[in-house]
C-alpha cells in the first residue's frame, strides 16, 4: 500500500508538503513579529507533529485537557500550557503529578477553580496560572480588567500558585478587544504591584493580525497546521493550503440530482462551523453535502455542472479539521499521493 | 471507583435497568407482532450488548460496515446484515472472507454495486443480497418498484449472488410509503417468478407502528436500546427511558446568564438532530446548551429558574445517542449510580 488512491474510504489524509509549508509560514510570521508561538495540539493530537512545530521554532505547546498533557509529557514535551479550568480531586492530583515533571501552566477564570488549585499545590513545586479573560468569544473568562486583577490577587495569595499573566481565546478578528482588555488589565496590575510576564493571545483565523495586539507576548493556534474550509472563508489561507482531505467514494446515485458518499458524521462530524453544508468536494465544487447520517453523506447535485458516478472517489475539505482528527485512531500522510507515514492520533478521544 | 459520581467528567454512563427495560419492551412488541427483530449495533457498538439483545429474542444483527461486521463475527455472531453498498477490491475481499464464516447478507441499490459483488462471489459460497428501496428518507435506494425488480433480476443472473428480498431505511412515521413500495414490488416480483422471502423494515422513532407495514418480515432498529432526546421528541419513549447520560461539570459561570460545561463537541457531538440546542440538562430543564467547541458547552441560563455553580455536576441527555457512543473507547454502566461494568466500545471509529 503505497498510494492513497489504494486506501479504503472514507479516510483522512494529510499532504506533507502543504503541512510543512503551513508550519513554516506561520512560524516565520511570529518570528518576524518577535512573538513566541505556542501551537495548540488539538488540531492534530500527534506528538510527532508537535515536535515538527517545535523544531520550526515554536516555544512550548498548548493542550486543553490534563490527559492530553499527560500524553505529550510522556512523549518528551516539557513546556505545556493547559488552557482549561481544572476541577475535581482526581484531575488535580494528576495535574500535580504532571507539574512535578514538566514546566506546566494552567488557566483559571473564577475563585472556585483558584481555590481548588491552591489546595492542591505547594510552594516547593508551585503551579503557574494565567487568568482567562473574555474578550468577545462568549465562552469562558473574567468579564472585566478589575475582575482579572481580583483573581490575580487571589492567585498571588496562594503559596502554591504563581500568577503568571493573562490569557484569552478571542473571537476571530477580535484583536482590538483583546488589546484593550490586556493593556487595561496590565495597567491595573502594575498599579497593584503585580507582575504580569505572560499575555497569551490566540486563534488561527486572524492570526496574521497578531500585530494588532502589541501587548501580547505569545500566540496560540492549532488549525493553521492543516487548515480547513473555515480558515479559507476567514481569509487565512487558500484552498490549496488545506493539507487535510477526506477521501470518499460515491456509493449511490439514486436520482439525477443526488448522490451519496460513504462519508458521514463519523468522518466529517456534524460541525457546520457556520456553513450550510458539510464540506467542500474538490472535484465538484458545485455539489453540496446537504445532510449526514453516521455513514452517509447526501449530496445535492442540482447546481453542479458535473455528475459523479457510483464508484468515483472524491476529496473533501472538511469544514473544521480539528474535530475530524478526533474521529480517527490513525492519520495517513502523503507526498503527492504516495504514502509517507501513518501515525497514531495518540491524544484522540481524551476529554478529561 | 464504585460510584459514577466519582468518575472524572465528561463521561457517558448507561443505566443497566433502563437499558434492560428498553431491550425487553421492544423485543416483546415484535414477539407479539410475530416479526423478526434485528438490532442495529451502531448505537452501542458493543458485542456484550448485542448478545443481550439476542438472548432477549432478536434474530441476527445489523451492521453498517464490513469492519463492524468483522468485529462482531470475531465475537461469535453468525447472522449479520450489512445495510450498505459495498464497493472496492479490498472491501469485497474482506466481505468474501467474512461470508466464508458467517451467514452474511448485504444490500445494493445500483448495478455498479451488484456487478462488483457478482465478480467477487461464487456459487460455492454465494452472498445474499437485499435490494435497498427508497421510501422517503432521501438517502439511498432504488426509486421505483420497477427498478427494484430490474436489480433483483440482475442479482439473480449472477451465479454467486442470491436475491433475498427488499430493505428500506424509512423516514420516521413513513410506514404507509414503505408498505406501498414493498407490496407493489412483491407483486411485480411474484409476476416475474422471483421469490422475495425477506422484507426488512427499520427505524427506532416509530417502531411501535411497525404493524402498519404488514408486508415486512423483519424490523431493524438501534437507538431504542439507549434512547435519546430525539426519541422522546418522536414519541417513542419518555425522558425516564433514556439509559445514557453524559455526566458533565460546570467549569465556569462568567455571567449571571451563562455557564460553561466541560462537555463539548468531543462528547456530545455537533449532531443537532433537528434541535436548536445540544442536549437536555436534566437538573436544569430551562437551560439551553447553545454552542459547543471541542471541550466547552456554553449554556444560556436566561430562561432557567435555577443557577448552577462552578463545580456542580449535571446529567445531559444527548440529542442523538449513537454518535456519542462513537466518541468513546469505553462505556460505563451502572445500577442506581453504582458502577456495574465498563465495556470497550469495540466497534468504535470503524468507517470502512
Amino acid at each position: 500500500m503505497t498510494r492513497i488512491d489504494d486506501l479504503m474510504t472514507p479516510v483522512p489524509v494529510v499532504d506533507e508538503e502543504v503541512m510543512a509549508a503551513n508550519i513554516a509560514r506561520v512560524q516565520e510570521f511570529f518570528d518576524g513579529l518577535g512573538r513566541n508561538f505556542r501551537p495548540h495540539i488539538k488540531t492534530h493530537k500527534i506528538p510527532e507533529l508537535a515536535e515538527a512545530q517545535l523544531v520550526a521554532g515554536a516555544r512550548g505547546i498548548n493542550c486543553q485537557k490534563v490527559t492530553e498533557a499527560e500524553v505529550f509529557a510522556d512523549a518528551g514535551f516539557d513546556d505545556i500550557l493547559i488552557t482549561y479550568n481544572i476541577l475535581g480531586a482526581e484531575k488535580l492530583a494528576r495535574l500535580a503529578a504532571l507539574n512535578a515533571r514538566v514546566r506546566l501552566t494552567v488557566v483559571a477564570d473564577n475563585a472556585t477553580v483558584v481555590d481548588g488549585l491552591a489546595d492542591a499545590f505547594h510552594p516547593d513545586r508551585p503551579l503557574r496560572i494565567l487568568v482567562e479573560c473574555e474578550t468577545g468569544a462568549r465562552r469562558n473568562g473574567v468579564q472585566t480588567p478589575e475582575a482579572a486583577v481580583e483573581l490575580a490577587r487571589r492567585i498571588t495569595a496562594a503559596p502554591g500558585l504563581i500568577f503568571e499573566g493573562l490569557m484569552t481565546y478571542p473571537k476571530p478578528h477580535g484583536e482590538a478587544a483583546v488589546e484593550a482588555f490586556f493593556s487595561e488589565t496590565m495597567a491595573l496590575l502594575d498599579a497593584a504591584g503585580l507582575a504580569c510576564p505572560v499575555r497569551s493571545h490566540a486563534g488561527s483565523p486572524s492570526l496574521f493580525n497578531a500585530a494588532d495586539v502589541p501587548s501580547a507576548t505569545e500566540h496560540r493556534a492549532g488549525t493553521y497546521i492543516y487548515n480547513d474550509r473555515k480558515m479559507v472563508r476567514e481569509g487565512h489561507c487558500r484552498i490549496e493550503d488545506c493539507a487535510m482531505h477526506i477521501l470518499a467514494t460515491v456509493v449511490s446515485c439514486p436520482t439525477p440530482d443526488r448522490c451519496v458518499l460513504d462519508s458521514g458524521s463519523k468522518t466529517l462530524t456534524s460541525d457546520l462551523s457556520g456553513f450550510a453544508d458539510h464540506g467542500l468536494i474538490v472535484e465538484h465544487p458545485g455539489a453540496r453535502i446537504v445532510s449526514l447520517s453516521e455513514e452517509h453523506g447526501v449530496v445535492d447535485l442540482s447546481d453542479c455542472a458535473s455528475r459523479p458516478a457510483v464508484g468515483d472517489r472524491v476529496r473533501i475539505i472538511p469544514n473544521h479539521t480539528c474535530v475530524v482528527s478526533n474521529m480517527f485512531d490513525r492519520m495517513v500522510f502523503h507526498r503527492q499521493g504516495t504514502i509517507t507515514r501513518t501515525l497514531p492520533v495518540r491524544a484522540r478521544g481524551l476529554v478529561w
Side-chain angles (χ1 to χ4, degrees), chain A residues 228-262:
Chain A
D228 54 26
R229 194 180 180 206
K230 181 180 180 183
M231 293 284 276
V232 175
R233 183 188 68 203
E234 299 292 330
H236 171 81
C237 65
R238 307 161 304 167
I239 289 280
E240 311 88 270
D241 301 319
C242 293
M244 177 194 275
H245 292 91
I246 314 295
L247 306 184
T249 300
V250 177
V251 294
S252 183
C253 296
T255 74
D257 279 351
R258 188 201 317 158
C259 75
V260 181
L261 303 174
D262 61 358

Side-chain angles (χ1 to χ4, degrees), chain A residues 60-112:
Chain A
I61 59 169
N62 183 188
C63 296
Q64 204 72 340
K65 292 287 175 167
V66 177
T67 40
E68 290 177 346
E70 288 171 345
V71 166
F72 280 80
D74 289 347
F77 293 82
D78 60 4
D79 178 355
I80 302 177
L81 167 63
I82 306 176
T83 43
Y84 212 82
N85 284 336
I86 295 163
L87 285 159
E90 186 171 354
K91 284 183 193 171
L92 289 168
R94 292 171 73 151
L95 193 67
L98 202 56
N99 192 48
R101 61 187 178 123
V102 302
R103 187 187 198 284
L104 193 63
T105 309
V106 304
V107 307
D109 79 347
N110 65 74
T112 305

